[in-house]
Amino acid sequence: MTDPSTHINRHRIRVRYAETDRMGVAHHMNHVAWLEEGRTEWMRDLGQTYREFEDSGMFLQVVDVQISYRSSVTYDDVVVVETRLAELKRASIDIGYRIEREDNGRLVAEAKTTLACVDPNGKLRRLPEWMGRRQA
Amino acid sequence: MTDPSTHINRHRIRVRYAETDRMGVAHHMNHVAWLEEGRTEWMRDLGQTYREFEDSGMFLQVVDVQISYRSSVTYDDVVVVETRLAELKRASIDIGYRIEREDNGRLVAEAKTTLACVDPNGKLRRLPEWMGRRQA
Amino acid sequence: MTDPSTHINRHRIRVRYAETDRMGVAHHMNHVAWLEEGRTEWMRDLGQTYREFEDSGMFLQVVDVQISYRSSVTYDDVVVVETRLAELKRASIDIGYRIEREDNGRLVAEAKTTLACVDPNGKLRRLPEWMGRRQA
Amino acid sequence: MTDPSTHINRHRIRVRYAETDRMGVAHHMNHVAWLEEGRTEWMRDLGQTYREFEDSGMFLQVVDVQISYRSSVTYDDVVVVETRLAELKRASIDIGYRIEREDNGRLVAEAKTTLACVDPNGKLRRLPEWMGRRQA
């Protein structure tokens, strides 16, 4: 079984033309969607998809995003989003990311997101065990 | 009362940096969101907001989009989206648009969208009267 | 050598969470970016990338987009964008698309885009031969 | 003359349908574009537009983004982005933001972005004086 505390997912994304801006590079807002795509794949590796998680009536709400941009990429470049657990709390999870170019390994961005586990009413809930929460 | 069959809404939108691409102009996908913003304002003028419409359990589903791009705009340009009724059917509505630059009136794009009126199960429903449907 | 007039590219795209809307499905504006991703791959198959094409100082400007939406998809669904040549003119190209769900083959959308070949000054230019233009 | 060190711009943005996600709220990636729209208006107030700044051959490159999400907004809600200077360094600028709902003043997000002043070759340059840099 995949151990959430050590598992690292590496996910390839090819930069879309629509994601570039007039500076000629991928606009910094798109990296936020790339992180989300990375954690979707990281969760899939753990044995449940985030879609199933939502279908079960739970949500992971993004409460904090921090991104440091290190170098730019442009249309048709391929980036690899590396996703791993950063810290696990009772009702929230910190996920860490490293985005790099696939061709030369150059660091594109480092990021961390905090997600809170909530029910449909927005009430905080304990994270599920498959996401790494210790059993009582 | 505003007559849906003749009412024209003119809505200003300033092009975002994030909407430009590496060609230096607003990427053509964003015009689709501008049309949507235009028809939101057109409906507001008619006396009910589209949000209230959805809150009442009905939806307008986009089934067809046609856009002809005539000239480009870039970051910080202001466009005006002109929205009007094109054709009204029993369960769908064609809306026509003309996007132009505010400063010189130059035509940016012409468009038409077809929207079907559906309930939460995706079943076709009659358009509401405030949108211009003739009473029986 | 790949023949542009008959070549069909099939490209997989997994729907992003960020691409869904409050109706619970992929927002219709994103399909426009998917088409663009499809034709990027179609061109790559023909032997030159669109990025190289732009680096050579030429551009394909989108002048017309028509999309008919047939069924909706949502987060984590995988769609396949099928891209093929529709019609070739002297300075413009019509590309046809069919988007379907990968799991059940259900048709999601049909589309056509017209792209004009222009130089950096926006002046119309002949399409390159590798895109299928007949030699004189 | 507007003093950059104390000036606060308040800019209204109405949430687009396309910006919502299947959780029913504005997707967290869009706030990044809203911040950018806010600082565009803040700079306009200072006497030069960011577009003119780029036309003069200089760029502000986003090197860091931090956002804390406090409450959600949805389609047709109006938010106010409050933009102010946070810290001025020789070649970079920290800008602080507060996004709140216009109707009830509820805090939606707090954010900070760091932008580096670079020339077309990506080389760090001193910030212009109109942005608040002290003269030697």
Side-chain angles (χ1 to χ4, degrees), chain B residues 13-14 16-19 30 33-34 36-37 40-41 44 49-51 54 59 74-77, chain D residues 13-14 16-19 30 33-34 36-37 40-41 44 49-51 54 59 74-77:
Chain B
I13 297 175
R14 189 178 288 275
R16 296 176 177 178
Y17 200 96
E19 291 174 332
N30 298 293
W34 301 345
E36 190 173 58
E37 207 174 308
T40 282
E41 298 310 318
R44 194 186 317 280
T49 65
Y50 179 65
R51 179 164 167 185
E54 280 208 351
F59 299 88
T74 189
Y75 167 60
D76 222 34
D77 282 340
Chain D
I13 297 175
R14 188 178 288 276
R16 295 177 178 177
Y17 200 95
E19 291 175 331
N30 298 293
W34 301 346
E36 189 172 57
E37 206 174 309
T40 281
E41 299 309 319
R44 195 188 314 281
T49 65
Y50 179 66
R51 179 164 166 184
E54 281 208 350
F59 299 88
T74 190
Y75 167 60
D76 222 35
D77 282 341

Side-chain angles (χ1 to χ4, degrees), chain B residues 5-72:
Chain B
S5 65
T6 57
H7 181 62
I8 295 178
N9 175 274
R10 290 176 57 85
H11 179 61
R12 296 175 81 242
I13 297 175
R14 189 178 288 275
V15 179
R16 296 176 177 178
Y17 200 96
E19 291 174 332
T20 60
D21 64 24
R22 74 200 294 259
M23 226 180 267
V25 298
H27 187 270
H28 64 282
M29 120 190 244
N30 298 293
H31 300 62
V32 179
W34 301 345
L35 301 180
E36 190 173 58
E37 207 174 308
R39 67 179 173 268
T40 282
E41 298 310 318
W42 179 76
M43 286 184 199
R44 194 186 317 280
D45 288 348
L46 300 186
Q48 200 184 351
T49 65
Y50 179 65
R51 179 164 167 185
E52 289 162 352
F53 185 66
E54 280 208 351
D55 288 347
S56 79
M58 299 295 278
F59 299 88
L60 289 178
Q61 208 165 44
V62 176
V63 293
D64 209 89
V65 169
Q66 294 180 35
I67 310 186
S68 295
Y69 300 87
R70 303 303 188 191
S71 67
S72 58

Side-chain angles (χ1 to χ4, degrees), chain B residues 69-96:
Chain B
Y69 300 87
R70 303 303 188 191
S71 67
S72 58
V73 282
T74 189
Y75 167 60
D76 222 34
D77 282 340
V78 175
V79 295
V80 174
V81 182
E82 218 176 83
T83 306
R84 87 196 62 84
L85 180 69
E87 197 186 342
L88 202 68
K89 295 160 199 162
R90 186 181 169 85
S92 74
I93 184 171
D94 286 358
I95 301 184

